[in-house]
RNA sequence: GGUGGGGUAGCUCAGCUGGUUAGAGCGCAGGACUCAUAAUCCUGAGGUCGGGGGUUCAAGUCCCCCUCCCACUACCA
């Protein structure tokens, strides 16, 4: 038994997330959380919406809403989408909650006291028409290098050169289009990450079990030299910068913390809110002096978030010199690509969570996205693969197995688990197969190797079909009902086992299977023990039902329709 | 430009510190079975492991060069 703290990278507030976001952090974290719970570990799975920053303000403006109200609305929308996908958060909080604000202000003060934060003056473009400072990417103008007229302040999309917004010719606001912009001096707090380089490198080098993707990105940044980052912005929406008395710091009116400073802190804030609402003890998860030293902390994220989780946030934690829990394991994912390109919110490319749930049950998506998780490299999404995964793995291998044996039992044995029969070669083969595969399945889950865990899950399901072919109860039934009975009995127990191992990834279908077969709640955990006993776990005489059809197949017409509707197949 | 990740059977991908005839799923071909969602099971055909050079008794696996794809490049999250 261990205590495992799990967080998935905070989904940003400006819209319902697409399947790439789901596959890269929330879903694998959920599957892992479920598996660890089944193995008897004490799990706390925390997530939250990331609500601060310029895009939130602009999205609210576009929706013609106040930012706070917009965030309220989108938080609920994301919470609902998560619930529809069965994401089993222990708590789904918000980075805009007071808890995170207090912690953020606390960390900033402690870091400044420790000499890791200092105030500096920088130049920033101010738009008079918009009444706001503009982040680099919201300033557009003519590229000084190639003459492209819609170059962004941070980079020219035409020639690819990195730019500084003050170099743009005839700059204008990308928000309003106004050319009434000017460069102003503005003071900000800087996090002196460079001072932490050595400690961070030592820590990264000492970390084991990180995927190469995570450690290589962290080391790359360290090798290039960490730059000191501004952690405040000229915005209204966010966490105010305060002094020791809790008042707004002098000269920081109209400024707030940068979202990437406070977002990871929301992991802690959300845990506090979980504790408040559930009579829990947040300190035992986050304070190493209050019991968190035995916690195994695992973070899930897309590759774009690695640097923040391996460098920026650890700087905050370590630099505080307070006994906060640091991350132990990171699981970083590549992208799910959409017909050769990226999923894109702005261009409406790809499938979003709310649309996905409309066209297929969550289990279908969960299985497909995990079986094809972008672990080693980017993974291509195609409708044909989705169809093939669902039809072959879920409908044919698992669904049909459950269906064939339960219906046969109902038809020939009145739905009662039969006694009798003697174990032979088929049974020996099955025991060996399961004895070999179940430990591997557990190992893959523990190592967070999702593709392999799914392949193993499928292989175990397939072994059930193979066993039935060998045992052939329908053949024995004609001459020796007892011999047919052992095949049916083991088949039914396999149904139960298949449901049990399916729980982390396809919880809805697994629940239906286990309910139909009558496996009580307290017998659904992953304490496998002797394989022989697993095959006789259901009591003789116990009544089972044939569940409703678990998975209906995805027809060609659906694929065609979705391809048409979502624009899949374009270059 | 820099950095990182990729280029392995028709498709999607495994192949850790180099070592017997390079693997899986899907698809395809043939066969078996008939309990089942025309499902399942068995067998098989398919690869000069992006290209070239090198190290080694031995390289998909290490080194160099070339080439193609993707991501990141820090005030976008």
């Amino acid at each position: 038994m261990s205590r495992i703290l799990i967080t998935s990278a905070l989904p940003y507030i400006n819209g319902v997330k697409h399947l790439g976001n789901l596959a890269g952090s929330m879903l694998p974290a959920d599957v892992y959380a479920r598996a660890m719970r089944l193995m008897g570990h004490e799990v706390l799975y925390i997530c939250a919406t990331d609500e601060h920053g310029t895009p939130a303000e602009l999205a609210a403006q576009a929706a013609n809403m106040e930012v706070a109200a917009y965030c309220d609305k989108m938080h609920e929308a994301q919470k609902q989408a998560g619930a529809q996908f069965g994401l089993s958060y222990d708590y789904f909080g918000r980075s805009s909650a007071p808890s995170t604000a207090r912690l953020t202000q606390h960390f900033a003060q402690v870091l400044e006291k420790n000499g890791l934060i200092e105030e500096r003056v920088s130049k920033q473009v101010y738009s008079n028409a918009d009444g706001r400072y503009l982040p680099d990417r919201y300033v557009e103008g003519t590229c000084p290098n190639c003459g492209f007229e819609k170059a962004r302040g941070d980079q020219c999309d035409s020639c690819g050169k990195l730019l500084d917004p003050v170099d743009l010719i005839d700059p204008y606001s990308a928000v309003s289009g106004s050319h009434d912009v000017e460069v102003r001096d503005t003071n900000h707090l800087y996090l002196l990450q460079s001072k932490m380089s050595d400690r961070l490198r030592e820590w990264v080098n000492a970390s084991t079990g990180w995927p190469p993707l995570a450690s290589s990105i962290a080391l790359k940044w360290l090798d290039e030299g960490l730059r000191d980052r501004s952690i405040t912005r000229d915005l209204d929406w966010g966490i105010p910068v305060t002094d020791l008395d809790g008042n707004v710091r002098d000269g920081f009116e109209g400024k707030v913390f940068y979202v990437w400073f406070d977002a990871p802190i929301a992991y802690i804030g959300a845990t506090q809110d979980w504790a408040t609402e559930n009579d829990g003890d947040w300190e035992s998860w986050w304070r190493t002096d209050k019991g968190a030293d035995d916690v195994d902390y695992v973070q899930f994220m897309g590759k774009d978030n690695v640097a923040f989780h391996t460098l920026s946030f650890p700087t905050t934690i370590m630099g505080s010199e307070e006994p906060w829990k640091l991350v132990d394991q990171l699981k970083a994912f590549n992208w799910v690509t959409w017909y050769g390109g990226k999923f894109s919110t702005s261009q409406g490319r790809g499938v979003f969570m709310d649309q996905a749930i409309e066209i297929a049950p969550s289990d279908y998506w969960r299985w497909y996205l995990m079986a094809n998780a972008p672990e080693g490299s980017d993974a291509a999404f195609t409708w044909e693969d989705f169809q093939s995964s669902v039809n072959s793995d879920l409908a044919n291998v698992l669904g049909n197995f459950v269906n064939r044996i339960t219906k046969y039992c109902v038809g020939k044995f009145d739905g009662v688990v039969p006694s009798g029969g003697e174990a032979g070669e088929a049974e020996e083969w099955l025991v060996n197969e399961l004895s070999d595969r179940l430990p591997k399945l557990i190992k893959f889950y523990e190592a967070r190797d999702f593709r392999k865990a799914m392949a193993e899950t499928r292989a175990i399901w397939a072994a059930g079909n193979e066993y039935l072919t060998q045992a052939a109860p329908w053949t024995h039934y004609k001459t020796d009902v007892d011999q047919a009975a052992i095949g049916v009995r083991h088949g039914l127990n396999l149904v139960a086992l298949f449901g049990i191992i399916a729980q982390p990834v396809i919880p809805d279908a697994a629940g239906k299977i286990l309910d139909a077969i009558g496996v009580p709640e307290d017998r659904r955990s992953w304490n496998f023990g002797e394989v022989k006993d697993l095959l006789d776990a259901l009591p003789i005489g116990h009544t089972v039902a044939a569940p409703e059809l678990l998975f209906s197949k995805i027809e060609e017409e659906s694929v065609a329709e979705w391809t048409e509707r979502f624009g899949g197949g374009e270059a």
Side-chain angles (χ1 to χ4, degrees):
Chain A
M1 306 297 134
S2 349
R3 302 177 66 223
I4 305 176
L5 174 63
I6 298 170
T7 60
S8 48
L10 306 188
Y12 196 65
I13 195 70
N14 68 342
V16 173
K17 300 292 101 178
H18 56 60
L19 294 181
N21 298 124
L22 181 66
S25 61
M26 289 107 84
L27 179 55
D30 176 69
V31 172
Y32 182 66
R34 287 175 181 270
M36 293 303 113
R37 291 188 192 112
L38 287 166
M39 290 181 200
H41 299 303
E42 186 183 354
V43 168
L44 187 67
Y45 175 24
I46 298 289
C47 193
T49 39
D50 178 9
E51 306 189 2
H52 296 140
T54 311
E57 286 194 335
L58 295 180
Q61 200 175 309
N64 217 358
M65 295 179 76
E66 291 294 319
V67 194
Y70 174 81
C71 288
D72 287 347
K73 182 181 162 195
M74 292 314 300
H75 173 80
E76 280 311 312
Q78 294 207 18
K79 189 173 185 175
Q80 193 196 336
Q84 287 176 323
F85 273 88
L87 302 180
S88 62
Y89 306 124
D90 287 291
Y91 193 75
F92 187 64
R94 309 179 59 172
S95 69
S96 62
S99 52
T100 296
R102 281 192 299 270
L103 282 162
T104 301
Q105 289 160 349
H106 166 80
F107 275 113
Q109 281 157 12
V110 174
L111 288 167
E112 185 164 20
K113 190 185 74 189
N114 293 341
L116 289 168
I117 284 181
E118 69 178 31
E119 205 172 316
R120 295 180 183 172
V121 176
S122 63
K123 294 197 185 301
Q124 191 84 26
V125 173
Y126 184 86
S127 164
N128 289 305
D130 298 305
R132 63 187 302 152
Y133 283 90
L134 298 171
D136 291 356
R137 65 175 306 185
Y138 289 107
V139 185
E140 292 182 355
T142 302
C143 175
N145 302 299
C146 70
F148 180 58
E149 289 175 7
K150 294 199 74 171
R152 288 180 325 198
D154 52 350
Q155 184 172 22
C156 174
D157 283 337
S158 178
C159 67
K161 283 232 166 63
L162 297 181
L163 304 174
D164 195 303
V166 300
D167 295 333
L168 287 174
I169 299 163
D170 191 22
Y172 60 91
S173 162
V175 178
S176 62
S178 166
H179 287 251
D180 185 10
V181 298
E182 62 189 56
V183 177
R184 290 187 181 177
D185 281 343
T186 176
N187 54 321
H188 283 293
L189 295 185
Y190 278 72
L191 181 61
L192 309 186
Q193 297 187 117
S194 52
K195 286 193 177 180
M196 294 292 290
S197 291
D198 293 343
R199 273 177 73 181
L200 287 169
R201 184 185 292 277
E202 209 174 299
W203 172 68
V204 171
N205 284 333
S207 301
T208 54
W210 291 13
L213 185 63
S215 42
S216 69
I217 291 175
L219 289 171
K220 174 204 136 197
W221 282 47
L222 285 165
D223 289 344
E224 289 180 354
L226 289 183
R227 290 179 227 167
D228 298 333
R229 297 182 67 137
S230 157
I231 56 162
T232 51
R233 292 290 182 278
D234 295 288
L235 288 176
D236 295 322
W237 174 240
I239 297 172
V241 184
T242 51
D243 59 22
L244 290 173
D245 298 324
N247 302 313
V248 172
R249 181 185 176 111
D250 279 348
F252 279 77
E253 301 80 8
K255 297 176 197 285
V256 296
F257 283 103
Y258 171 45
V259 4
W260 258 110
F261 185 68
D262 68 61
I265 293 172
Y267 293 143
I268 307 175
T271 309
Q272 292 182 338
D273 294 338
W274 160 80
T276 304
E277 291 180 28
N278 296 280
D279 199 25
D281 176 9
W282 72 270
E283 290 185 313
S284 77
W285 292 96
W286 279 103
R287 297 286 296 205
T288 55
D289 58 337
K290 302 278 176 64
D293 46 338
D294 70 346
V295 168
D296 199 22
Y297 178 20
V298 187
Q299 291 176 341
F300 289 79
M301 71 202 74
K303 60 183 168 186
D304 52 336
N305 276 332
V306 168
F308 296 104
H309 287 84
T310 57
L311 303 168
S312 310
F313 189 42
T315 295
T316 301
I317 295 289
M318 292 165 77
S320 74
E321 307 296 347
E322 295 176 340
W324 296 99
K325 177 74 190 167
L326 266 172
V327 66
D328 295 299
Q329 291 295 325
L330 290 99
K331 178 71 182 180
F333 287 87
N334 291 281
W335 305 122
V336 176
T337 58
W338 175 255
Y339 291 92
K342 273 173 76 170
F343 278 81
S344 165
T345 312
S346 55
Q347 294 171 35
R349 274 169 65 81
V351 184
F352 294 79
M353 285 171 73
D354 51 349
Q355 303 170 321
I357 209 73
E358 226 177 77
I359 63 177
S362 68
D363 278 352
Y364 291 20
W365 294 107
R366 291 175 62 103
W367 173 259
Y368 169 74
L369 293 172
M370 285 294 90
N372 298 284
E375 288 180 309
S377 62
D378 291 352
F381 172 93
T382 67
W383 289 110
E384 289 75 16
D385 282 349
F386 177 58
Q387 177 192 31
S388 161
S389 277
V390 169
N391 290 359
S392 172
D393 301 343
L394 296 183
N396 293 349
V397 175
L398 175 62
N400 180 54
F401 176 82
V402 173
N403 195 43
R404 68 194 289 207
I405 191 64
T406 50
K407 273 195 177 154
Y408 189 76
C409 176
V410 168
K412 302 288 188 187
F413 292 87
D414 299 324
V416 168
V417 178
S419 62
E422 289 199 7
E425 269 180 37
E427 285 69 29
E428 190 185 339
W429 175 86
L430 179 62
V431 168
N432 287 339
E433 189 75 3
L434 293 177
S435 304
D436 175 53
R437 292 193 180 279
L438 285 172
K440 281 205 250 176
L441 177 67
I442 290 174
K443 192 191 78 188
F444 290 141
Y445 266 113
E446 286 176 337
R448 294 171 292 279
D449 269 333
F450 293 102
R451 286 180 96 118
K452 289 180 179 171
M454 295 311 123
E456 203 59 43
T457 300
R458 192 204 126 95
I460 292 171
W461 294 339
N465 282 313
E466 196 175 338
Y467 167 72
L468 278 192
T469 300
Q470 290 184 40
W474 45 87
T475 304
H476 288 299
Y477 190 81
K478 298 167 189 164
T479 55
D480 182 353
V481 174
D482 269 2
Q483 202 51 38
I486 188 170
V488 171
R489 187 166 69 249
H490 282 176
L492 292 171
N493 277 288
L494 285 174
V495 171
L497 177 65
F498 294 175
I500 288 170
I501 65 169
Q503 291 174 99
V505 60
I506 45 171
D508 292 346
K512 281 185 202 165
I513 293 172
L514 294 171
D515 288 346
I517 217 79
V519 177
E521 292 286 346
D522 60 357
R523 302 294 296 274
R524 297 183 181 187
S525 64
W526 284 21
N527 303 314
F528 295 128
E530 285 294 318
V531 168
K532 272 193 179 136
D533 301 337
L534 281 178
L535 295 174
D536 271 309
L538 294 170
I540 303 292
H542 173 77
T543 306
V544 303
E548 58 183 291
L549 210 61
L550 291 165
F551 309 100
S552 49
K553 292 194 193 179
I554 296 173
E555 306 295 341
E556 297 295 338
E557 300 83 74
S558 303
V559 171
E561 183 194 323
W562 298 336
T563 303
E564 171 77 12
R565 174 174 166 193
F566 293 97
E570 68 197 28

